[in-house]
Amino acid sequence: MTWPIYSDNKPIASGMQPEQNATLKLYNWVAYINPQSIKNFEKKYNCKVQVTTFNTMEEAMAKLQTGQLEFDVFIPTVDQLGPLVETKLIRPLNHSYIPNISNAWKEFTNPFYDGKWQYTVPYTIYTTGISWRNDHVPGSPASLTNPWSFLWQPKYKGKIAILDDYREGLSLGLMYNGQTDLNTTDVNLLTASEKTLLDLAKLVNVHIDNNDYTNIPSGQMWIHHSWSGDIAAAAQYMPKGVSVDVVSYWFPADGKGPVANDTMAVLAGGKNPVLAHLFLNYFLNTDNALENISYNGYMQPLYGVTPQRLIKEKILPKNLTSTVVLESYFSRGLHELELPASANGVWQQDWLNVTRGV
């Protein structure tokens, strides 16, 4: 998909200097960027960076669509680019400010969701799988005929959680039911997924949250539907005296699981468009990316960010190499893409029914 560029929402001119004495406003997920990276950017460009966080993409989009917020940089998921472009909430990029795109995997210099990277640069890459505390829960999803059923274990009632995300949540129900089309518009399949998740709620008193990065290391949860990057960062959240070796992560060996990337975009309503472009460029630098990954755990699709380097620099524990995302995953994995508006409404309503039933 190559999105249009509108006459009343064009890229900024080339050759401009960064805004002076500016405060760059970033709208981002919770715990998704290294505070030290922010400080280093502020020092390099003599500016301030103000970070405002959100917990879910639905929450972020709802607030942005009020038109009352003036953020400079946003971290959208791929499936939200259509609404963002069509409502002119994000600004097309001027590539002359972002030379570090040359460090990115080739696929991300002309991604299927944003042809010719006109509106976004890649930020993080991740898979969605299952994490667990192996000192409390023996075995592995890999040993089961239906690996996703690892979450359906009543003996761990009260210690099991799924992600608070309507796409990821209902996709879990679909995969448990043997479906691999995570963009289905089939109402019957979605209803079945809703029922599956409600059954899970009754069976294990399931929690719904996006705190897998703290709840698994702390032991508050023993099994969690998880994003790979959250679990890659587990070491920094372990209780004192507890080794990160007790944390495990599973993703299908055949790659037939959810794989995705988040992006960085410049918001049209921001007051610092040059600085915003430079912010995007900053996080495409390999050394800056590694510093960021050392905090949030999420790999970035840069040629210099390899599993070997992450382990060598002790950013990634050896027992969590299952969280690594390779280029090949994007050709064989399952993608959650933008849905038609009517179908998206069905997904959201079904998920709302699940959350009300927990």
Side-chain angles (χ1 to χ4, degrees), residues 165-180:
D165 182 292
Y166 80 104
R167 295 298 303 270
E168 297 282 23
L170 285 174
S171 291
L172 172 64
L174 287 168
M175 292 185 293
Y176 178 88
N177 291 340
Q179 306 298 324
T180 56

Side-chain angles (χ1 to χ4, degrees), residues 31-341:
Y32 207 32
I33 201 162
N34 191 339
Q36 186 59 51
S37 300
I38 294 291
K39 290 179 182 177
N40 292 345
F41 180 84
E42 290 175 327
K43 184 177 181 181
K44 181 172 183 176
Y45 291 103
N46 190 31
C47 67
K48 296 292 185 184
V49 177
Q50 181 182 91
V51 181
T52 302
T53 60
F54 54 84
N55 289 298
T56 68
M57 189 51 55
E58 304 91 88
E59 171 196 342
M61 290 295 292
K63 290 183 177 178
L64 286 176
Q65 287 166 348
T66 66
Q68 297 177 355
L69 305 177
E70 294 183 346
F71 297 114
D72 294 291
V73 176
F74 180 44
I75 314 291
T77 51
V78 167
D79 62 319
Q80 297 300 322
L81 291 187
L84 288 167
V85 171
E86 290 162 1
T87 57
K88 303 171 189 174
L89 280 171
I90 58 175
R91 186 193 301 271
L93 300 174
N94 181 323
H95 291 182
S96 68
Y97 295 100
I98 312 175
N100 286 340
I101 192 69
S102 62
N103 295 325
W105 293 352
K106 185 179 178 181
E107 177 172 341
F108 289 95
T109 60
N110 189 28
F112 70 89
Y113 56 80
D114 181 20
K116 304 176 184 177
W117 63 290
Q118 291 194 129
Y119 283 89
T120 64
V121 299
Y123 182 43
T124 57
I125 50 179
Y126 52 93
T127 61
T128 307
I130 298 173
S131 63
W132 71 101
R133 279 286 298 258
N134 58 48
D135 53 338
H136 296 296
V137 180
S140 163
S143 65
L144 303 176
T145 303
N146 180 355
W148 298 107
S149 69
F150 197 67
L151 292 144
W152 273 254
Q153 298 196 66
K155 58 185 173 183
Y156 303 123
K157 188 172 185 176
K159 289 290 187 179
I160 297 176
I162 63 174
L163 291 170
D164 184 8
D165 182 292
Y166 80 104
R167 295 298 303 270
E168 297 282 23
L170 285 174
S171 291
L172 172 64
L174 287 168
M175 292 185 293
Y176 178 88
N177 291 340
Q179 306 298 324
T180 56
D181 179 3
L182 306 188
N183 306 292
T184 185
T185 59
D186 188 320
V187 173
N188 292 329
L189 293 180
L190 292 170
T191 300
S193 173
E194 174 191 328
K195 182 179 183 304
T196 293
L197 295 175
L198 287 171
D199 289 343
L200 175 66
K202 293 177 183 175
L203 186 69
V204 303
N205 192 24
V206 75
H207 292 249
I208 299 179
D209 65 62
N210 290 337
N211 298 326
D212 51 336
Y213 63 102
T214 55
N215 285 348
I216 284 294
S218 69
Q220 185 171 340
M221 291 293 137
W222 290 354
I223 307 176
H224 209 304
H225 180 214
S226 288
W227 287 307
S228 58
D230 281 358
I231 302 308
Q236 59 186 297
Y237 297 100
M238 299 304 300
K240 187 176 181 179
V242 180
S243 169
V244 73
D245 289 346
V246 302
V247 176
S248 295
Y249 177 81
W250 168 86
F251 179 72
D254 63 0
K256 297 298 184 184
V259 60
N261 69 286
D262 285 349
T263 66
M264 280 189 169
V266 175
L267 287 164
K271 302 300 184 186
N272 306 288
V274 178
L275 210 49
H277 279 73
L278 297 176
F279 191 81
L280 270 56
N281 189 56
Y282 184 87
F283 284 91
L284 290 170
N285 172 280
T286 300
D287 289 338
N288 296 339
L290 288 168
E291 180 176 60
N292 193 36
I293 296 167
S294 71
Y295 172 81
N296 70 11
Y298 281 82
M299 289 183 67
Q300 292 180 223
L302 307 180
Y303 286 112
V305 178
T306 64
Q308 295 79 10
R309 188 167 180 183
L310 292 174
I311 293 171
K312 181 180 179 181
E313 298 192 15
K314 299 183 178 179
I315 295 173
L316 178 66
K318 287 183 179 179
N319 66 302
L320 291 175
T321 54
S322 53
T323 63
V324 165
V325 184
L326 302 176
E327 280 188 88
S328 60
Y329 287 17
F330 285 87
S331 61
R332 57 182 175 160
L334 307 180
H335 298 268
E336 297 166 12
L337 306 176
E338 183 179 352
L339 298 166

Side-chain angles (χ1 to χ4, degrees), residues 334-355:
L334 307 180
H335 298 268
E336 297 166 12
L337 306 176
E338 183 179 352
L339 298 166
S342 58
N344 192 51
V346 175
W347 277 73
Q348 291 185 329
Q349 184 58 54
D350 284 344
W351 178 245
L352 183 61
N353 294 342
V354 172
T355 58

